[in-house]
Amino acid sequence: MDIGTITLLIIGTMALLLVLGVPLAFVSGAIAVTLAVSQFGLNALFIVGSRTVEFLDSFALIAVPMFVLMASIMEKSGVAEDLYRAFHVWVGSVRGGIGVVTTGVAVLLGATTGIIGGEIVLLGLIALPQMLKLNYDRKLAIGTITAGGSLGTMIPPSIILIFYGLTAEVSISHLFLATLMPGLMLATFYVGYILLRCGLNPSLGPPLPPEERDMPLSEKLALFKGVALPMAVAGGVLVSIYAGFASITESAALGAFGAAIAAWVRNSFSFAMLNEVLVQALRTCGMVFWLVFGTNALIGVYNLMGGITFASNTLAGVSQEPAIILAVMIGVFILLGFFIDWIGILFLTMPIFLPVLTQLGYDPIWFGIVFNLSMQIAYLTPPFGPACFYLKGAAGDSLGLSEIFAAQWPFIGLQILALIIVVTWPELSLWLPRLVYG
């Protein structure tokens, strides 16, 4: 059987099993084992194990559970609620001000999490009831939370970019700097959209009642007291990475320790909370790592069969124009995002796309940001749309899933605009790493 037929069988089998509800980790792992045994015999199973061990041997990988642990501690210690309260009294008098605050808090939380699930749940529990109580337009409120909460992977530290850096073998510190400006640009688009909609139609985002926002300046400033230390921890982590004081892994470990100290200072640390955050971190990392193991094993076996070369040649044969090949890659990212999670997309596509990309002369650091922006779109688009399901889980029966999906389209349009800008002007993401690291 030729490699083209095998490729079609792999795609068809994956699609069928995913539609049947089998988790991607087990789908890709089962296909990898089946291919290895059928094509090369039982001894080929060594490939599956060796690739898994090789990936786990990376020192930088330790940063993932450390950042997840840091995020879990920040989530359980009440930082999000205090941040929201601290900011909303300052801009609550502005039409759409609570939407702006929600987006700003999402950006700050992104600097402490690097993942979207917990952030969207937190905003859904804290910001959504407030906006609905003020009679905000429901679609505007929903879209603000899902799109703003998804910014967690665009603001460093980003778990996506850690895995991309390991896969592409590029500097994670460079990636963190490269994503900063596009991430802030996307947040600015959201804020501008909220202010424009509410400015044209004030009923979409009424201001806070005077009794909730009128207080002495000293009281407004005092609200920041509870979040100063946690934000200092997040800032310290990023500074230690960019200044070269510590590696990504060391900074992540210091961040987890600093988050625990900040929670203790806030009187929100307990052994019960520690147990809860450890279990949550283990579950998150276990899910991500099993996805990595399965997809990594499949790509290893497929590569041994000559599949990577076949797929790369097929992709390169699409057109002689690099821009068209790049557009096809982005289209594949977005299409796969309708059905599977980012980690599966990353490990299934990058071994094929990156060799072609480098031959075309594109910068892999920049391409990591293009991938990250593509995943922003994937978070919101049905039928998978993980951000929508996270919000549904937080809101319960008060929101219907169809209503949540219907609220995403204006924000998806803004994400597409940001993606086009970064693709058209790569320097937007590359100038800061070059400024800092030369």
Side-chain angles (χ1 to χ4, degrees):
M1 190 179 299
D2 65 275
I3 188 63
T5 304
I6 292 175
T7 301
L8 291 176
L9 283 174
I10 292 173
I11 295 172
T13 303
M14 288 187 71
L16 176 62
L17 293 176
L18 288 172
V19 167
L20 292 174
V22 182
L24 177 61
F26 302 132
V27 169
S28 54
I31 293 175
V33 170
T34 302
L35 281 176
V37 173
S38 63
Q39 297 294 316
F40 306 106
L42 287 173
N43 288 337
L45 290 177
F46 176 77
I47 300 169
V48 176
S50 64
R51 282 185 65 88
T52 301
V53 171
E54 181 182 356
F55 186 82
L56 288 174
D57 194 42
S58 172
F59 182 66
L61 193 62
I62 302 173
V64 174
M66 291 294 102
F67 278 131
V68 172
L69 185 60
M70 175 181 165
S72 299
I73 294 173
M74 293 289 194
E75 175 188 338
K76 300 300 180 184
S77 62
V79 172
E81 188 172 355
D82 287 352
L83 265 177
Y84 191 80
R85 173 64 179 162
F87 280 103
H88 91 300
V89 298
W90 287 87
V91 295
S93 60
V94 179
R95 296 168 182 170
I98 300 304
V100 173
V101 169
T102 301
T103 304
V105 169
V107 171
L108 293 174
L109 289 177
T112 67
T113 60
I115 50 180
I116 71 167
E119 189 170 337
I120 291 174
V121 170
L122 283 172
L123 292 174
L125 294 173
I126 298 168
L128 183 63
Q130 177 78 339
M131 286 194 280
L132 295 182
K133 185 180 74 172
L134 291 172
N135 294 317
Y136 262 63
D137 178 75
R138 290 174 67 88
K139 287 185 178 180
L140 182 64
I142 292 168
T144 297
I145 290 173
T146 50
S150 298
L151 286 169
T153 57
M154 284 299 299
I155 306 298
S158 168
I159 300 298
I160 280 187
L161 293 180
I162 293 175
F163 279 106
Y164 176 84
L166 293 173
T167 305
E169 298 182 349
V170 295
S171 168
I172 298 172
S173 300
H174 284 61
L175 287 167
F176 281 2
L177 276 179
T179 196
L180 188 58
M181 294 307 297
L184 293 177
M185 177 185 69
L186 190 54
T188 303
F189 285 175
Y190 295 159
V191 169
Y193 171 74
I194 294 166
L195 292 176
L196 178 62
R197 288 288 310 277
C198 295
L200 294 175
N201 186 354
S203 65
L204 297 180
L208 272 176
E211 61 270 17
E212 290 193 35
R213 67 175 189 264
D214 290 346
M215 61 177 64
L217 178 61
S218 58
E219 290 185 24
K220 288 185 177 182
L221 293 174
L223 291 173
F224 288 102
K225 184 178 179 181
V227 297
L229 184 56
M231 289 298 100
V233 169
V237 168
L238 296 180
V239 169
S240 67
I241 294 171
Y242 299 147
F245 298 147
S247 67
I248 294 287
T249 303
E250 293 164 344
S251 298
L254 287 172
F257 179 73
I261 295 298
W264 177 74
V265 171
R266 289 166 52 87
N267 295 318
S268 56
F269 186 87
S270 66
F271 284 108
M273 186 194 98
L274 180 61
N275 178 70
E276 190 174 355
V277 299
L278 287 173
V279 170
Q280 181 176 330
L282 284 171
R283 284 177 177 168
T284 302
C285 292
M287 176 190 69
V288 171
F289 286 156
W290 273 111
L291 278 167
V292 171
F293 298 158
T295 52
N296 200 28
L298 176 58
I299 289 298
V301 176
Y302 188 62
N303 188 30
L304 187 64
M305 297 167 59
I308 301 295
T309 302
F310 165 77
S312 298
N313 291 339
T314 302
L315 184 65
V318 168
S319 172
Q320 298 298 316
E321 290 293 328
I324 294 178
I325 296 175
L326 177 64
V328 170
M329 293 179 180
I330 295 172
V332 170
F333 291 153
I334 296 174
L335 179 63
L336 289 176
F338 292 160
F339 307 105
I340 60 177
D341 208 346
W342 63 266
I343 190 74
I345 300 172
L346 174 66
F347 280 91
L348 288 173
T349 60
M350 287 306 167
I352 299 170
F353 287 178
L354 282 170
V356 177
L357 182 88
T358 52
Q359 288 177 8
L360 295 174
Y362 288 115
D363 191 310
I365 297 287
W366 164 80
F367 191 62
I369 311 309
V370 171
F371 173 76
N372 206 357
L373 277 169
S374 302
M375 292 304 97
Q376 292 290 304
I377 300 171
Y379 293 149
L380 305 187
T381 48
F384 184 64
C388 301
F389 284 96
Y390 285 130
L391 181 59
K392 172 62 178 173
D397 295 335
S398 63
L399 295 179
L401 198 54
S402 59
E403 182 182 20
I404 295 175
F405 277 125
Q408 307 307 315
W409 300 112
F411 294 90
I412 292 173
L414 294 173
Q415 292 170 340
I416 293 173
L417 175 61
L419 178 60
I420 292 172
I421 290 173
V422 171
V423 169
T424 306
W425 292 285
E427 282 301 313
L428 181 67
S429 56
L430 294 177
W431 74 270
L432 193 55
R434 288 172 179 169
L435 178 67
V436 175
Y437 295 110

